[in-house]
Amino acid sequence: MARIIPYEEALNEAAALLGAGGVVAIPTETVYGLAADALNGEAVAKIFETKGRPRFNPLIAHVANIGMAAVLVALNDKALALAEKFWPGPLTMVLPMADGSPVHPLVTAGLDTLAIRVPKSDFTRALIAEFGRPLAAPSANRSGRISATTAAAVDAELGDRIELIVDGGSATVGVESTIVRIDGDRITLLRPGGIAREAIEDVVKTRLEAASEGKVQAPGMLLSHYAPQLGMRLGVQEVEPGEALLAFGPQRAAGAEHAAAVINLSEKGDLREAAANLFSAMRELDRSEATAITVEPIPEQGLGEAINDRLRRAAAPRDMHGLGE
Ligand code: AMP
Ligand code: MG
C-alpha cells in the first residue's frame, strides 16, 4: 500500500525513490502526476505498467525552470515568450528536441519532439531541482479513468501499485495543461486546458492553428508516430536471409544466424527492459542494410500489450499511423 506523506516532509524520500528508478505520485497545479526519471527508460516503463496503459503515448517532461528546458529542447522566440509568460503554469509546449538531449526515447515514444512544461507546485519544482533531472509524468490514474486532483483520489486509483504519494493538497487548476506544438512561427493547439487559447494568442500575436492532421480527434492526440522506413514482419518463427531481427528472450527464431543485424530487446525476457529498449532498437535496425525488420513473438501481457501495439502501428500501412494515440 502507498504511504501518503505531506509535501513538507517528502522531498528527500521522493528524490531517493526517483533516483532508484521508482515512480512517485506528485502534486501539480493541474492534476496529480505519476512521475519517474525521464532519463531512465525502465523507470519510464514503470509508469505505463503502473497505469496499465495499453499503448505508449508520449509523456510530458516536467522541469524546474526555463534553463533546464533549454538543455532538452530548442526554444525559439515564440516558445521563449510563452515560457516567460506562462511558466510555471499549465502550458505544455511540444518542441524539437535539442541536439544531444538526454531524455529517454520512451518518454517521446521515439519522436524527435518533446512535450515540456514547468509546473506551478513549489514542492514539485523543488523536487525536480533537488533531483536534478526532468521528470516524465502523465496523470496519476489508471488508464482510461479520470485524473486525480487529490492525494486520496490517487490512493484510490493507484494506492495498491505504488509506494509513495506526496500530498500537496487539492490541485488548484483541476484540468490538464493546454498543449501547443511550436514549429517555427506556426503554433498549433493540440489540447485545450488550463490556459485559454486567447491568452496564448495575445502573447504570440498570431492565431493558433487547429490540429487537423489526424482522422480521430482526441485530447492531446498524437499526430504522427515514429515509423521505420523498412517493412516489418511481426511474430516470426523464421528469419529470411538479409532481414534484421528484433529479438526477445533467450530463444532465437530459426535462421537468426543469417540475419543482417540482431538486437535483443531483453535477453532475459523482461518486458520492462524490452519497453525501455524498443524505440532505440527500431531506429538502429532501421538504419541497418537489411531488407526488412522481422520481430520475434512478444507475449501479449503487462507491458507486452503496449509493445505489440506500437509494433503493429510501425508495421501498418503509412496512412494508419495517425490513428489515435
Ligand atoms: P498527459 O501527460 O496524460 O497529460 O498527456 C500528455 C499528452 O501530450 C498526450 O495526450 C500526448 O499525446 C501529448 N504529447 C506528448 N508529447 C507529444 C509530442 N511530442 N507530440 C505530440 N503530442 C504529444
Ligand atoms: Mg491522463
Side-chain angles (χ1 to χ4, degrees), residues 53 57-58 60 94 111 113 115 137-139 176 179 190-191 219-222 325:
R53 259 195 192 173
N57 58 337
I60 298 172
V94 173
L111 299 173
T113 53
S139 54
E176 272 84 359
I179 305 180
L190 297 181
R191 176 176 79 184
M221 91 171 256
L222 179 59
E325 308 175 76

Side-chain angles (χ1 to χ4, degrees), residues 4 21 23 28 62 71 73 95 112 124 127 132 152 161 263 270 272 282 289 318 320:
I4 304 180
V23 294
T28 83
H62 293 69
V71 178
V73 290
L95 292 161
D112 50 14
T124 292
L127 174 63
R161 303 178 181 191
I263 295 180
D270 178 295
R272 192 182 286 165
M282 279 201 290
E289 302 280 291
R318 281 302 129 98
M320 295 276 297

Side-chain angles (χ1 to χ4, degrees), residues 87 124 170 185 200 215 245 262 275 290:
W87 286 355
T124 292
S170 288
D185 280 342
I200 296 168
K215 288 176 187 149
L245 178 62
V262 181

Side-chain angles (χ1 to χ4, degrees), residues 76-312:
N76 67 11
D77 289 353
K78 297 239 189 264
L80 209 50
L82 289 171
E84 274 161 2
K85 175 76 180 177
F86 295 114
W87 286 355
L91 177 69
T92 297
M93 291 192 269
V94 173
L95 292 161
M97 204 111 73
D99 288 338
S101 169
V103 167
H104 192 277
L106 194 54
V107 175
T108 62
L111 299 173
D112 50 14
T113 53
L114 177 68
I116 193 165
R117 83 179 188 98
V118 177
K120 211 164 205 165
S121 156
D122 290 341
F123 167 81
T124 292
R125 270 181 291 124
L127 174 63
I128 296 165
E130 167 75 21
F131 185 51
R133 292 165 169 229
L135 296 181
S139 54
N141 51 271
R142 292 192 209 179
S143 181
R145 317 246 305 216
I146 60 169
S147 305
T149 55
T150 63
V154 177
D155 192 35
E157 284 288 313
L158 300 173
D160 57 340
R161 303 178 181 191
I162 62 178
E163 259 179 75
L164 181 64
I165 299 169
V166 179
D167 189 348
S170 288
T172 52
V173 176
V175 295
E176 272 84 359
S177 59
T178 302
I179 305 180
V180 293
R181 181 180 57 213
I182 301 186
D183 183 10
D185 280 342
R186 298 179 55 190
I187 306 182
T188 308
L189 182 63
L190 297 181
R191 176 176 79 184
I195 288 184
R197 152 199 287 276
E198 294 79 5
I200 296 168
E201 290 177 340
D202 273 355
V203 172
V204 293
K205 310 274 182 260
T206 83
R207 278 303 177 86
L208 300 192
E209 297 181 26
S212 58
E213 294 162 55
K215 288 176 187 149
V216 180
Q217 290 295 313
M221 91 171 256
L222 179 59
L223 297 170
S224 67
H225 288 291
Y226 166 68
Q229 300 298 310
L230 292 177
M232 310 230 344
R233 291 203 302 134
L234 306 185
V236 300
Q237 312 286 356
E238 212 172 318
V239 185
E240 304 287 340
E243 287 183 327
L245 178 62
L246 189 57
F248 176 79
Q251 230 95 65
R252 283 300 56 74
E257 62 279 11
H258 304 302
V262 181
I263 295 180
N264 198 326
L265 290 172
S266 172
E267 298 275 359
K268 53 182 192 281
D270 178 295
L271 289 166
R272 192 182 286 165
E273 183 181 28
N277 288 330
L278 179 64
F279 291 103
S280 58
M282 279 201 290
R283 271 194 199 272
E284 197 171 326
L285 292 182
D286 202 26
R287 280 195 297 261
S288 71
E289 302 280 291
T291 51
I293 300 172
T294 191
V295 188
E296 290 181 359
I298 292 169
E300 186 77 17
Q301 68 195 38
L303 279 169
E305 197 184 348
I307 294 171
N308 284 319
D309 170 79
R310 183 43 50 104
L311 288 168
R312 280 192 291 271

